[in-house]
Amino acid sequence: MQNTGMRTAATPTPTHCPYCALQCGMNLTPAADGTVEVSERADFPVNRGALCGKGRTAPAVLASSARLTTPLVRSAEGPLVPASWDDALDRIAGNLARTRAEHGADALGVFGGGGLTNEKAYTLGKFARVVLGTSQIDYNGRFCMSSAAAAGVRAFGLDRGLPFPLEDIPRTGCVILVGSNPAETMPPSLRYFTELRENGGTLIVVDPRRTKTAEQADLHLAPRPGTDLALALGMLHLVVAEGRVDERYVEERTAGWEDARAAAMGHWPEYVERITGVSVPELREAVRMFCAPEAAMVLTARGPEQQAKGTDTVGAWINLCLATGRAGRPRSGYGCLTGQGNGQGGREHGQKADQLPGYRKLTDPAARRHVAEVWGVDPDSLPGPGRSAYELLDALGTDIRSLLLMGSNPVVSAPRAAHVEERLRSLDFLAVCDVVLSETAALADVVLPVTQWAEESGTTTSLEGRVLLRRRAITPPDGVRSDLEVLHGLAGRLGVEKGFPTEPEQVFEELRRASAGGPADYSGIDYRRLAEEGGVFWPCPAPEEAAGTRGDRHPGTPRLFLDRFATDDGRARFAPVSHRPSAEEPDDEYPVLLTTGRVVAQYQSGAQTRRVDELNAAAPGPFVELHPRLAARLGVAEGDRVTVVSRRGRAAAPARVTAGIRPDTVFMPFHWPGEGRANTLTNPALDPTSRMPEFKVCAVRVERAV
């Protein structure tokens, strides 16, 4: 039970967790004394009532003493001080208008988040392009699954995290899980992999660490960080050499096989063993396990995706699925385990630099005309694509002079974080909307306190592509407004009086029209239907107006590609890719590889979870995980303080000595600021297609702290 300080009737509200992309179902029950209880919601099929520690304690942030309940503005003396809403909004609008007048619209930046609801993401993108007229908008979801999205579009013509529901996982024959640790990142999903094995299927985990997930696997492959591409190509080489290609499937449903095959044949097993450290017998066993059953899947996550070659790496794993006929068939396919709560929907509806609502391309004239008509503007008035997330952050204080930021904490979460912090400090003006004074909000000129998940309604889209309705369960504290109210207030002050409603359902109705006919078509979905059905998979187009009856409505699309892929000719495309080194390889000065990730009790930058006592007790701070052989060379014992140094800076934390990591690799979680900030070290080298930074591998040295 968590105290919110608010009285409301004790009526259970079915809703969804505010954290990861599982969007687990839960019930919230406010009590007369102001407490809020989380209880099971067994009717929601994804988690079937199960919740992790973060979900169980989610109401704690609603009542946190760190909660913001009044706007803050930067005083002439320097500190942030309380202000009225009118004063705060006037300051933001005035500074944005001044920057635009003096430097042009593209001197204004907008940075969003993968935790924003679909309604907020849609409105933020519309605000940037219609009210501000800037192309400079992107969001932290670029750091989540942009490489998988790019590879999926290239191969299948469409990106949806999972093109099938999670319930298909236990029904397949083998799953290769690449660079994912769901036992800690999304614990309720682990049951699907447990059920897979109980049903006689096999699980292969690819990870340089022996994680809690890897401990559950039938086979654990521990490649050197940054070599997942070579590993996938080595497996495809063996598929060809051992005669395991599904020739009929390749001929009937794919294109580009010969070039992809030629590239794979340059990655023979012994060569791949030298690159990855995965032995030839392990490679052969993985291929045998994957090809033995009738159906199989490959699921990737941040490990292979957060690399400067992430798009090609995911493409190589997709190639493996296509060559063996494991895509677009029942109980088979490639999928991506999206991380952020609305990482999928967040990029579908306009806060990504190159996209319009409905997953339309900003460079497509027909898409521009359609969305402009919904918005009531001239298509020529819409700006073109802007910078990707890191490039936008890197341009702060130079080309971009003022920034509006919602739902993100890049001081902790961005690569080369010390540099990003410096760029944020160099801005002429920074406005931040948040529920707490995050490390980024603390740098702002104006901070606006906004509502949280349980205090507002709105939709999110889970990793399955299932559109869900979060329901308002409690009244927000006095002094707090929603992000939609913020954008409405700013739009009016900047001369746009209409088109920015504050009610989420009104926004969603417009979103439906804007998405109609696009790849991510939501036009057949409405709030009433979401409440009745508990979620609808996109694409879900509206029926013909003449159809008339509720029985004619589209059922939604749980499983994509069963008949054809979303390309012009219906065929999937192989990617002719080859291994290449990481952007930064070890050398004499920096001889060890660093990889980063998460722990079960914290979430993303920790801005919310670090306010929860129970979670902090379980995961109180950062650490450096290293192998006993490396620890012995350094003279380091368990708990000793060590410093990790890269070309971008240094971070210090206690050592955790474990045989569950490669001797040439160290691991740090990235949830904390300060001297233990892992992203001080990480490399912002970008994938040429997805513009994903290389979070998962960089060269470092480790020193015993004195």
Side-chain angles (χ1 to χ4, degrees):
M1 299 277 282
Q2 306 294 337
N3 195 309
T4 66
M6 295 164 283
R7 293 184 177 274
T8 184
T11 303
T13 301
T15 189
H16 296 273
C17 179
Y19 292 118
C20 82
L22 286 180
Q23 288 297 280
C24 291
M26 59 169 59
N27 287 314
L28 296 183
T29 306
D33 63 357
T35 59
V36 175
E37 181 179 334
V38 173
S39 60
E40 284 191 4
R41 184 181 159 196
D43 65 312
F44 187 61
V46 172
N47 62 309
R48 292 175 259 169
L51 292 169
C52 72
K54 294 187 290 291
R56 286 188 295 97
T57 61
V61 186
L62 298 169
S64 169
S65 60
R67 181 80 186 273
L68 296 173
T69 56
T70 188
L72 302 174
V73 299
R74 187 72 58 186
S75 66
E77 293 75 26
L80 288 166
V81 297
S84 71
W85 269 98
D86 281 341
D87 182 22
L89 291 171
D90 287 346
R91 288 199 189 199
I92 296 173
N95 277 281
L96 294 178
R98 187 177 307 112
T99 296
R100 183 170 58 185
E102 294 177 0
H103 302 285
D106 275 356
L108 301 174
V110 177
F111 199 85
L116 299 180
T117 62
N118 289 319
E119 292 80 1
K120 294 178 185 179
Y122 172 85
T123 304
L124 188 62
K126 180 181 179 181
F127 177 85
R129 296 180 175 106
V130 172
V131 178
L132 301 181
T134 183
S135 66
Q136 301 303 303
I137 175 172
D138 210 74
Y139 80 128
N140 63 16
R142 176 80 67 169
F143 301 155
C144 178
M145 61 167 291
S146 58
S147 293
V153 170
R154 183 171 67 184
F156 307 131
L158 179 68
D159 153 52
R160 196 178 82 186
L162 290 180
F164 43 77
L166 284 162
E167 67 185 43
D168 285 0
I169 291 175
R171 299 168 56 237
T172 194
C174 177
V175 172
I176 302 179
L177 191 58
V178 189
S180 179
N181 182 18
E184 297 200 62
T185 58
M186 44 182 68
S189 72
L190 194 63
R191 68 169 57 189
Y192 292 99
F193 302 100
T194 302
E195 290 170 8
L196 165 75
R197 299 184 69 211
E198 290 173 349
N199 291 341
T202 54
L203 175 63
I204 301 170
V205 170
V206 179
D207 198 305
R209 304 168 61 224
R210 188 161 182 80
T211 63
K212 292 181 180 178
T213 305
E215 290 174 355
Q216 307 298 313
D218 297 281
L219 177 64
H220 173 214
L221 306 179
R224 183 174 176 265
T227 65
D228 310 85
L229 175 53
L231 181 67
L233 288 165
M235 291 183 65
L236 183 55
H237 178 110
L238 285 171
V239 165
V240 175
E242 296 176 359
R244 299 180 184 271
V245 176
D246 187 333
E247 301 285 357
R248 181 174 178 179
Y249 174 92
V250 168
E251 180 180 354
E252 293 179 352
R253 300 204 59 187
T254 72
W257 168 233
E258 291 304 322
D259 288 343
R261 172 180 174 167
M265 296 316 288
H267 297 76
W268 60 95
E270 292 76 14
Y271 173 58
V272 169
E273 181 180 63
R274 290 199 299 272
I275 294 171
T276 65
V278 176
S279 70
V280 172
E282 288 177 312
L283 279 173
R284 293 189 184 278
E285 178 63 6
V287 169
R288 185 199 66 76
M289 290 170 62
F290 184 67
C291 294
E294 290 184 5
M297 298 175 179
V298 172
L299 305 177
T300 67
R302 308 299 80 76
E305 297 162 19
Q306 288 181 328
Q307 299 183 29
K309 52 181 181 293
T311 302
D312 285 353
T313 300
V314 173
W317 289 105
I318 292 175
N319 285 352
L320 182 66
C321 291
L322 294 176
T324 54
R326 307 304 176 90
R329 284 181 167 173
R331 301 179 293 114
S332 289
Y334 163 77
C336 166
L337 297 178
T338 312
Q340 294 190 77
N342 198 31
Q344 181 71 53
R347 70 178 177 283
E348 291 168 4
H349 298 300
Q351 65 173 335
K352 190 165 175 279
D354 56 351
Q355 287 178 188
L356 287 170
Y359 226 141
R360 288 181 159 94
K361 294 181 179 178
L362 193 51
T363 53
D364 178 359
R368 294 170 67 89
R369 285 193 301 271
H370 174 86
V371 174
E373 182 178 358
V374 174
W375 288 351
V377 300
D378 185 338
D380 292 337
S381 71
L382 298 177
R387 292 175 172 89
S388 71
Y390 179 77
E391 291 167 303
L392 189 157
L393 295 171
D394 190 41
L396 299 181
T398 54
D399 293 344
I400 299 173
R401 310 295 292 267
S402 295
L403 181 70
L404 173 64
L405 186 146
M406 284 186 170
S408 186
N409 187 17
V411 166
V412 178
S413 63
R416 197 185 174 196
H419 172 73
V420 168
E421 181 177 347
E422 178 186 323
R423 294 290 85 219
L424 285 161
R425 292 180 183 276
S426 73
L427 282 164
D428 294 345
F429 181 77
L430 171 62
V432 173
C433 300
D434 212 329
V435 299
V436 297
L437 193 67
S438 70
E439 289 73 22
T440 302
L443 305 180
D445 297 286
V446 178
V447 184
L448 300 180
V450 292
T451 51
Q452 294 191 60
W453 59 289
E455 300 163 351
E456 59 188 10
S457 294
T459 62
T460 61
T461 306
S462 74
L463 78 171
E464 302 174 296
R466 191 193 304 249
V467 184
L468 304 165
L469 179 62
R470 282 191 196 159
R471 295 170 174 88
R472 174 169 163 161
I474 58 174
T475 303
D478 292 338
V480 172
R481 297 185 183 180
S482 73
D483 294 286
L484 294 179
E485 290 175 312
V486 168
L487 294 172
H488 172 86
L490 291 176
R493 286 167 169 79
L494 290 166
V496 181
E497 299 291 341
K498 297 182 179 180
F500 289 86
T502 60
E503 288 301 317
E505 189 169 4
Q506 284 184 260
V507 176
F508 191 80
E509 287 301 304
E510 183 178 299
L511 183 158
R512 293 175 63 199
R513 292 188 290 120
S515 73
D521 190 335
Y522 284 28
S523 61
I525 307 172
D526 59 32
Y527 272 34
R528 179 177 177 179
R529 183 173 179 184
L530 292 175
E532 290 174 350
E533 299 182 22
V536 179
F537 291 88
W538 71 260
C540 182
E544 295 293 330
E545 292 183 12
T549 65
R550 287 169 56 86
D552 291 327
R553 64 188 183 186
H554 192 283
T557 314
R559 295 169 181 85
L560 297 170
F561 314 137
L562 294 180
D563 299 318
R564 70 191 309 274
F565 294 98
T567 56
D568 290 341
D569 60 5
R571 291 173 173 267
R573 301 289 191 271
F574 280 95
V577 297
S578 295
H579 172 72
R580 58 185 184 273
S582 298
E584 192 172 83
E585 290 288 316
D587 57 21
D588 290 343
E589 188 175 3
Y590 301 98
V592 178
L593 291 169
L594 168 71
T595 192
T596 63
R598 288 159 51 185
V599 296
V600 67
Q602 300 288 352
Y603 181 72
Q604 303 298 74
S605 74
Q608 293 154 308
T609 52
R610 285 188 276 111
R611 270 75 182 180
V612 180
D613 291 342
E614 181 179 331
L615 299 179
N616 283 332
F623 57 87
V624 179
E625 191 175 277
L626 68 166
H627 191 274
R629 290 208 302 250
L630 177 58
R633 287 203 303 271
L634 297 170
V636 168
E638 177 77 15
D640 286 350
R641 197 163 185 78
V642 297
T643 302
V644 183
V645 185
S646 78
R647 290 176 173 85
R648 289 153 295 280
R650 57 180 57 226
R656 285 193 184 176
V657 181
T658 172
I661 191 168
R662 290 175 56 96
D664 58 3
T665 301
V666 295
F667 166 83
M668 290 189 72
F670 64 85
H671 309 289
W672 289 275
E675 64 175 359
R677 181 174 60 184
N679 276 319
T680 297
L681 308 167
T682 49
N683 190 354
L686 300 180
D687 180 287
T689 303
S690 68
R691 316 308 289 169
M692 169 74 85
E694 193 154 62
F695 287 98
K696 280 295 184 272
V697 54
C698 69
V700 299
R701 68 173 179 267
V702 184
E703 303 169 346
R704 182 171 180 173
V706 293

